[in-house]
């Protein structure tokens, strides 16, 4: 007997009509990039997470890549990342020419172990990239403290934890 992972048809039935209305509107207006729906999403998402701005990009991988570029991280630099990170997180580091340094996660929570982050820091380390998975956040208080103590940047990958929080503050 096969046990289905999730019944997406049943889940999608709740939003099908609204979804098709938006898709129809996008097709009718020809706004396949940007447009009013993206602008509305950016405003609502920024409001939801308590930020002034939100910029929609084509993917989380592009968002991470741009964050790394803005922070001038590249060839010769290292970025600490957890071992169970999604491949797009890792490839964003590789795209800028930096080296990912993998740190193990707690087997119970699948979260980054802050003590191991400290051990992984070298003279080439420029940033820590915690990846919030399964709607759960990493211990951002501990990670932020480590980053502050060592002059490192923190780039949070929130693609799988959009509305997660740590100590009452949204991730990202």
């Amino acid at each position: 007997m096969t046990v289905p992972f999730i019944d997406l048809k049943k889940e999608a039935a709740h939003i099908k009509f609204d979804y098709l209305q938006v898709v129809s509107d996008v097709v009718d207006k020809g706004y396949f990039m940007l447009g009013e729906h993206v602008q509305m999403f950016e405003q609502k998402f920024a409001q939801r997470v308590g930020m002034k701005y939100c910029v929609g990009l084509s993917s989380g991988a592009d968002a991470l890549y741009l964050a790394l570029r803005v922070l001038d991280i590249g060839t010769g630099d290292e970025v600490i990342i957890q071992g169970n990170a999604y491949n797009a997180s890792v490839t964003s580091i590789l795209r800028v020419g930096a080296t990912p340094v993998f740190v193990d996660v707690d087997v119970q929570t699948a979260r980054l172990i802050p003590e191991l982050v400290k051990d992984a820091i070298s003279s080439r380390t420029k940033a820590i990239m915690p990846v919030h998975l399964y709607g759960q956040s990493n211990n951002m208080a501990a990670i932020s403290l480590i980053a502050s103590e060592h002059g490192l940047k923190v780039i949070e990958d929130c693609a799988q934890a959009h509305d997660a929080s740590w100590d009452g503050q949204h991730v990202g």
Side-chain angles (χ1 to χ4, degrees):
M1 178 176 155
T2 303
V3 177
F5 180 66
I6 188 170
D7 183 356
L8 293 178
K9 289 180 184 177
K10 183 178 176 183
E11 294 296 319
H14 298 288
I15 61 167
K16 181 179 179 178
F17 179 77
D18 292 337
Y19 178 79
L20 292 175
Q21 289 295 107
V22 172
V23 170
S24 179
D25 189 47
V26 168
V27 171
D28 290 346
K29 292 179 179 173
Y31 289 136
F32 297 104
M33 292 183 287
L34 302 175
E36 64 190 69
H37 293 288
V38 173
Q39 187 176 33
M40 184 172 53
F41 167 79
E42 290 171 339
Q43 291 169 351
K44 286 183 176 184
F45 192 80
Q47 183 180 24
R48 173 70 186 177
V49 298
M51 292 288 122
K52 190 172 182 178
Y53 301 104
C54 167
V55 177
L57 297 171
S58 62
S59 68
D62 282 348
L64 295 171
Y65 169 76
L66 288 174
L68 289 160
R69 291 292 308 264
V70 165
L71 295 173
D72 199 30
I73 295 171
T75 305
D77 297 332
E78 294 177 348
V79 177
I80 297 172
I81 189 167
Q82 61 210 59
N84 65 341
Y86 183 64
N87 66 2
S89 311
V90 177
T91 57
S92 69
I93 297 168
L94 296 171
R95 271 177 77 190
V96 298
T99 301
V101 175
F102 296 99
V103 172
D104 214 347
V105 296
D106 183 286
V107 295
Q108 299 297 320
T109 65
R111 295 179 186 157
L112 190 60
I113 301 172
E115 296 77 25
L116 296 180
V117 170
K118 284 184 190 179
D119 296 339
I121 296 172
S122 77
S123 61
R124 296 180 0 169
T125 305
K126 298 290 190 221
I128 305 167
M129 185 182 288
V131 181
H132 307 293
L133 296 170
Y134 320 117
Q136 303 178 91
S137 69
N138 281 287
N139 182 340
M140 291 313 300
I143 292 168
S144 296
L145 180 62
I146 293 166
S148 178
E149 289 173 347
H150 295 275
L152 303 174
K153 303 296 183 188
V154 177
I155 303 164
E156 296 177 66
D157 181 346
C158 307
Q160 293 186 35
H162 292 91
D163 204 23
S165 62
W166 182 264
D167 286 341
Q169 184 175 346
H170 280 94
V171 295

